[in-house]
Amino acid sequence: MWSFWLQPLKYANVSSMLKVFIERLLVFANPFMLVDQTGETRHPKKVPEAESSFYRAKLVAIANGGLGQRGHFQVLSHWMQRLARNNLTEVIGEIYAPQGPLLANPPAELQPVIADYLRLLEKAGAEIVTDGSISAATQQLLDRDLIPEERYLQQINSYFGMLLSSVQHPYTNSW
């Protein structure tokens, strides 16, 4: 069984809605706590009949964000790995899209790029279902930027500049 965790990246961290949802799953955990082989305290497995529960599903993390680099997903990735470890399961896929706004409303010239990316997402989903993970080749393609970072920054800053051009504001486009 797989569990897909989809969320927008907010302040380089887990969204509050996802965090609340995860915390609500704690009632499915074994209430006892033991020290594991690495010296960390966590909940042990349940009896075998309960192991097929949603609580022990393998995890797939999918998130997008508006900033242009993958480094902004480091906290989320680490959090997902810890969540899996603490729940005696594993993360079998991580898909992070740092240029997320392009997915929602791509300009006409980028629509073929976005269509290719969406087909790649479908391929990744099929690999998870059939193989239990995303292949290295597919992951490598998913990890590419949709467009060069410099172009993305120019487009996103142009967009915000246009939105703010008719109002007084305290923002600047420089350090």
Side-chain angles (χ1 to χ4, degrees):
M1 180 186 296
W2 309 277
S3 178
F4 290 82
W5 303 94
L6 298 104
Q7 73 144 29
L9 187 69
K10 300 293 183 185
Y11 290 96
N13 212 325
V14 178
S15 71
S16 60
M17 287 175 36
L18 179 59
K19 183 95 168 61
V20 167
F21 176 74
I22 297 289
E23 289 171 356
R24 299 300 182 264
L25 294 176
L26 190 56
V27 298
F28 294 110
N30 181 334
F32 297 102
M33 291 182 259
L34 301 173
V35 176
D36 71 9
Q37 66 275 13
T38 67
E40 287 192 11
T41 303
R42 58 189 181 136
H43 300 283
K45 288 185 173 187
K46 292 182 181 181
V47 295
E49 307 82 64
E51 281 305 305
S52 63
S53 74
F54 174 76
Y55 191 66
R56 298 285 186 233
K58 295 179 188 281
L59 305 177
V60 178
I62 303 173
N64 76 16
L67 298 173
Q69 298 114 359
R70 290 189 190 289
H72 295 284
F73 294 91
Q74 289 175 345
V75 172
L76 176 59
S77 179
H78 182 75
W79 188 83
M80 290 300 295
Q81 295 296 332
R82 288 297 303 189
L83 178 69
R85 183 190 182 289
N86 289 343
N87 289 292
L88 305 166
T89 189
E90 62 183 311
V91 175
I92 59 170
E94 293 183 89
I95 300 171
Y96 302 124
Q99 299 171 344
L102 296 176
L103 298 172
N105 193 15
E109 71 270 11
L110 289 181
Q111 287 178 1
V113 172
I114 301 306
D116 287 346
Y117 184 75
L118 295 177
R119 280 191 288 278
L120 192 58
L121 289 173
E122 288 179 14
K123 181 179 182 195
E127 289 176 359
I128 288 167
V129 170
T130 58
D131 304 329
S133 65
I134 300 171
S135 71
T138 300
Q139 188 68 57
Q140 186 177 11
L141 293 171
L142 286 168
D143 288 345
R144 294 186 314 185
D145 288 339
L146 296 170
I147 60 176
E149 183 182 348
E150 301 78 28
R151 182 175 171 199
Y152 175 73
L153 290 176
Q154 182 183 35
Q155 286 185 345
I156 201 83
N157 287 334
S158 247
Y159 173 73
F160 285 120
M162 180 206 50
L163 288 178
L164 295 170
S165 66
S166 62
V167 296
Q168 284 281 101
H169 62 84
Y171 309 112
T172 179
N173 193 6
S174 66
W175 292 114

